[in-house]
Amino acid sequence: AQKITQTQPGMFVQEKEAVTLDCTYDTSDPSYGLFWYKQPSSGEMIFLIYQGSYDQQNATEGRYSLNFQKARKSANLVISASQLGDSAMYFCAMREGTGGTASKLTFGTGTRLQVTL
Amino acid sequence: NAGVMQNPRHLVRRRGQEARLRCSPMKGHSHVYWYRQLPEEGLKFMVYLQKENIIDESGMPKERFSAEFPKEGPSILRIQQVVRGDSAAYFCASSLSTQNNSPLHFGNGTRLTVT
């Protein structure tokens, strides 16, 4: 079973509008972290935002916020006031457990976001 | 504080040659991860190392691939006798700790092309 599922291969949004990128996850571990990364066409991976499984509030970082619904096992990324520079691939990822072999990040397949004028 | 440094940025090898990819983690980070990304796909975990130790190599192909993270110097991902299917972007990442709230910081990747 996929640990991270991103069901939107591509999304379009108009400049200045908000957009939600979906992410669902699968784990039986009570302790986990959820991350979003941005990969622009230049190829680098940029860390955007983190949500811990025990966090009571949704994470926010500037124009990025994470809509964390634990019971539904979803961690959707919301980008407000989209800018042309937001056009990129966006990856959701999860880190389970604490340390050791559970230390790695598992990635979804990504969503390509295109911001239009 | 310099980020994760990978070199070379691009690497071209002929089939059968060896490829060596280097990664220097962020200062103070002792946890290093290697990932592979095929075109239009997500990142696939390969190996996780701490200084001088391989902790998790569950994503490494059984043959031709090896990784090390010596006490001194960068981490090396080595691919022997490369084949066309090895063409991909290889990303290195480092983290400060293995706690869930410690993000992985990625380098810019090495794009390997096998001709």
Side-chain angles (χ1 to χ4, degrees):
Chain A
Q2 293 278 8
K3 284 192 175 280
I4 296 285
T5 302
Q6 294 181 255
T7 57
Q8 306 153 314
M11 289 281 286
F12 287 89
V13 64
Q14 269 196 318
E15 200 181 16
K16 300 178 187 175
E17 297 292 311
V19 63
T20 298
L21 306 183
D22 294 341
C23 173
T24 57
Y25 58 93
D26 182 28
T27 181
S28 57
D29 200 311
S31 176
Y32 53 89
L34 297 158
F35 301 80
W36 278 90
Y37 285 82
K38 172 184 178 181
Q39 187 177 41
S41 57
S42 50
E44 67 269 33
M45 292 288 289
I46 303 166
F47 165 65
L48 296 178
I49 195 167
Y50 160 81
Q51 180 83 47
S53 58
Y54 295 120
D55 293 346
Q56 296 296 314
Q57 293 191 326
N58 287 341
T60 59
E61 287 286 347
R63 293 187 299 110
Y64 303 110
S65 61
L66 208 151
N67 184 0
F68 181 45
Q69 297 188 43
K70 195 169 182 177
R72 293 185 178 183
K73 293 189 174 179
S74 74
N76 299 339
L77 177 70
V78 180
I79 305 174
S80 62
S82 297
Q83 302 171 356
L84 293 177
D86 294 334
S87 295
M89 282 289 284
Y90 288 82
F91 292 98
C92 180
M94 177 171 64
R95 203 175 197 181
E96 300 170 272
T98 305
T101 58
S103 182
K104 62 182 181 281
L105 275 182
T106 302
F107 284 84
T109 52
T111 295
R112 184 174 297 281
L113 177 67
Q114 187 69 46
V115 180
T116 61
L117 292 170
Chain B
N1 189 12
V4 178
M5 305 299 292
Q6 286 189 253
N7 66 82
R9 188 73 191 266
H10 299 275
L11 183 62
V12 179
R13 285 287 178 266
R14 291 198 178 119
R15 279 179 297 170
Q17 290 184 320
E18 178 179 286
R20 280 184 178 239
L21 289 63
R22 293 174 185 77
C23 169
S24 295
M26 284 181 73
K27 190 174 182 180
H29 288 194
S30 60
H31 306 274
V32 167
Y33 310 78
W34 285 93
Y35 284 80
R36 176 163 62 179
Q37 185 181 33
L38 295 172
E40 302 303 315
E41 293 188 11
L43 276 71
K44 302 294 186 188
F45 169 77
M46 298 182 75
V47 63
Y48 158 45
L49 311 100
Q50 290 183 38
K51 280 291 186 182
E52 300 184 272
N53 292 305
I54 296 174
I55 308 300
D56 181 357
E57 55 182 348
S58 58
M60 285 279 269
K62 298 298 180 197
E63 297 175 348
R64 302 186 299 108
F65 285 72
S66 62
E68 63 177 14
F69 188 18
K71 190 176 179 181
E72 300 290 338
S75 176
I76 305 287
L77 179 68
R78 183 181 177 208
I79 311 173
Q80 296 178 289
Q81 299 172 357
V82 296
V83 301
R84 289 224 172 100
D86 297 334
S87 295
Y90 291 84
F91 286 92
C92 170
S94 71
S95 68
L96 185 61
S97 80
T98 58
Q99 296 301 309
N100 285 338
N101 62 354
S102 182
L104 272 60
H105 297 273
F106 284 82
N108 288 335
T110 293
R111 276 125 191 103
L112 172 66
T113 302
V114 180
T115 62

